[in-house]
Amino acid sequence: MTDRKWLINLATVAFFSLIGSSITTAFIQGGTAQAGGFASTIQSWTTDGQPAQAFYGEDGKMRIQLGTYSAAGERGLPLVGLSDNKGHLRMLLRLAGTNESPVLIMKDKSGNDRLVMGLSLSDTSEEPFLSVTGADGQRKAIFGSY
């Protein structure tokens, strides 16, 4: 490759790297974004050193939450939360337990866990489980246990 082609390739890579890093920095820093008159549509924070980021709808209510837990025994384990149009958490995907097992939790409008499924939180066999909770608050294991 000639010196001129090499210099053009280097300049092109540097230019696109600068553009990409500028865009990425704008999103990661969690700066205030204006949308429909609401002050913040993306917000980042830390709790006890653990990162979290939330995405808000145009009405200002949280829709998606990404982060890691800060509580002892769960510290650093990731979570993804999905909220309804009223901002209530309705579904949670996370890693939990001593096995750091994947768990999916579906909640009713009152915030109660109604369906929980995943792999065993503590049994080394990591057998799957499915548990449902009725409107009366009684939890029933369909299979497995957590």
Side-chain angles (χ1 to χ4, degrees), residues 76-100:
L77 293 178
L79 68 94
V80 176
L82 303 178
S83 299
D84 62 19
N85 283 332
K86 294 180 179 166
H88 299 123
L89 181 63
R90 297 299 302 272
M91 188 163 54
L92 182 64
L93 175 63
R94 61 176 292 195
L95 297 183
T98 56
N99 285 338
E100 299 182 359

Side-chain angles (χ1 to χ4, degrees), residues 1-105:
M1 183 181 299
T2 66
D3 288 339
R4 186 166 190 244
K5 284 184 179 179
W6 183 86
L7 187 57
I8 290 171
N9 286 340
L10 178 64
T12 303
V13 168
F15 174 74
F16 284 108
S17 295
L18 177 65
I19 297 297
S21 65
S22 297
I23 291 169
T24 302
T25 300
F27 283 108
I28 290 177
Q29 287 181 349
T32 300
Q34 297 293 328
F38 291 93
S40 180
T41 56
I42 301 173
Q43 182 181 13
S44 299
W45 67 92
T46 60
T47 302
D48 194 23
Q50 297 301 301
Q53 188 164 32
F55 296 83
Y56 294 84
E58 63 185 24
D59 59 0
K61 293 184 177 141
M62 187 184 300
R63 294 300 191 283
I64 303 170
Q65 181 180 2
L66 306 170
T68 58
Y69 282 96
S70 61
E74 298 181 326
R75 185 173 184 81
L77 293 178
L79 68 94
V80 176
L82 303 178
S83 299
D84 62 19
N85 283 332
K86 294 180 179 166
H88 299 123
L89 181 63
R90 297 299 302 272
M91 188 163 54
L92 182 64
L93 175 63
R94 61 176 292 195
L95 297 183
T98 56
N99 285 338
E100 299 182 359
S101 298
V103 179
L104 179 64
I105 303 164

Side-chain angles (χ1 to χ4, degrees), residues 72-144:
E74 298 181 326
R75 185 173 184 81
L77 293 178
L79 68 94
V80 176
L82 303 178
S83 299
D84 62 19
N85 283 332
K86 294 180 179 166
H88 299 123
L89 181 63
R90 297 299 302 272
M91 188 163 54
L92 182 64
L93 175 63
R94 61 176 292 195
L95 297 183
T98 56
N99 285 338
E100 299 182 359
S101 298
V103 179
L104 179 64
I105 303 164
M106 296 181 191
K107 298 175 171 283
D108 63 18
K109 290 181 181 181
S110 298
N112 301 311
D113 295 355
R114 295 296 298 271
L115 185 132
V116 181
M117 64 180 161
L119 300 180
S120 176
L121 303 181
S122 59
D123 186 359
T124 57
S125 67
E126 293 191 276
E127 288 296 316
F129 68 85
L130 175 62
S131 177
V132 296
T133 303
D136 59 0
Q138 296 296 314
R139 190 168 81 182
K140 177 181 176 184
I142 304 301
F143 57 85

